[in-house]
Amino acid sequence: LTSIVVDGNYFYIAGSRISGVATRIEKWAIPSLSTVVTNDATDVQGISATLNGDIANTGGENIDERGFEWGTSSGSYPNDWTELGSFGIGTFSHNITSLNLGTAYYYRAKAHNSIGWAYGLEKSFTTVATLPCQNHELWGWAWSENIGWISFRCISLSILIK
């Protein structure tokens, strides 16, 4: 080894010299923190939602772990999910369950390489306040003192319990 030259995001290693000329030169990427984007949650229901993220830049090497953090207070993420592997750029998602009805949740995507963890910006969603009818369909008419007769189709379980 005769020299190491750093140029931007790369370093070059020169091998032995013959008459002042390098006989072997290798170019290596210097790893950096990855770039991860938090995308909007989808399929938000009363007790579940799907979190979505995107690895926009791996930082020069594959991601070895990716996932999400979430909680009910902005900036606080007591819950998390990760998966191990070797991941390049692209989208990923995870369905979270056992959520509370009508509750705001805050979340962010995250990705890890040898430099450390990178985090997307925080996003939020609010779960649906009632559960949908399940395994049956209900419909009919009801009287309201305020607005008169109203029609309905599929009552939530929270109304049936009253």
Side-chain angles (χ1 to χ4, degrees):
L1 175 68
T2 58
S3 64
I4 297 176
V5 178
V6 177
D7 176 24
N9 292 329
Y10 299 94
F11 66 92
Y12 301 86
I13 300 175
S16 62
R17 293 181 179 267
I18 301 174
S19 302
V21 176
T23 58
R24 185 174 130 197
I25 297 177
E26 294 183 25
K27 178 181 174 183
W28 296 81
I30 299 173
S32 62
L33 207 56
S34 64
T35 304
V36 62
V37 176
T38 306
N39 293 331
D40 290 339
T42 54
D43 197 25
V44 177
Q45 302 293 322
I47 58 173
S48 66
T50 300
L51 305 182
N52 299 291
D54 187 4
I55 297 171
N57 184 319
T58 63
E61 61 185 18
N62 275 357
I63 300 300
D64 57 16
E65 193 170 1
R66 65 187 183 183
F68 299 96
E69 300 177 328
W70 68 94
T72 55
S73 297
S74 179
S76 176
Y77 313 104
N79 307 292
D80 79 325
W81 167 85
T82 62
E83 65 179 337
L84 298 172
S86 181
F87 308 103
I89 60 171
T91 60
F92 61 103
S93 62
H94 179 68
N95 187 52
I96 57 175
T97 59
S98 300
L99 303 178
N100 296 319
L101 295 172
T103 303
Y105 284 88
Y106 301 87
Y107 66 100
R108 64 183 181 176
K110 62 182 183 176
H112 183 270
N113 66 13
S114 68
I115 301 301
W117 283 100
Y119 299 91
L121 296 177
E122 178 181 272
K123 289 205 169 220
S124 67
F125 65 89
T126 300
T127 56
V128 177
T130 59
L131 291 174
C133 296
Q134 297 187 11
N135 302 321
H136 61 277
E137 183 176 320
L138 299 173
W139 58 271
W141 292 88
W143 174 257
S144 168
E145 291 294 328
N146 296 331
I147 57 175
W149 286 102
I150 55 172
S151 65
F152 63 87
R153 183 177 180 143
C154 192
I155 302 173
S156 70
L157 293 177
S158 62
I159 294 173
L160 290 173
I161 293 170
K162 291 182 178 178

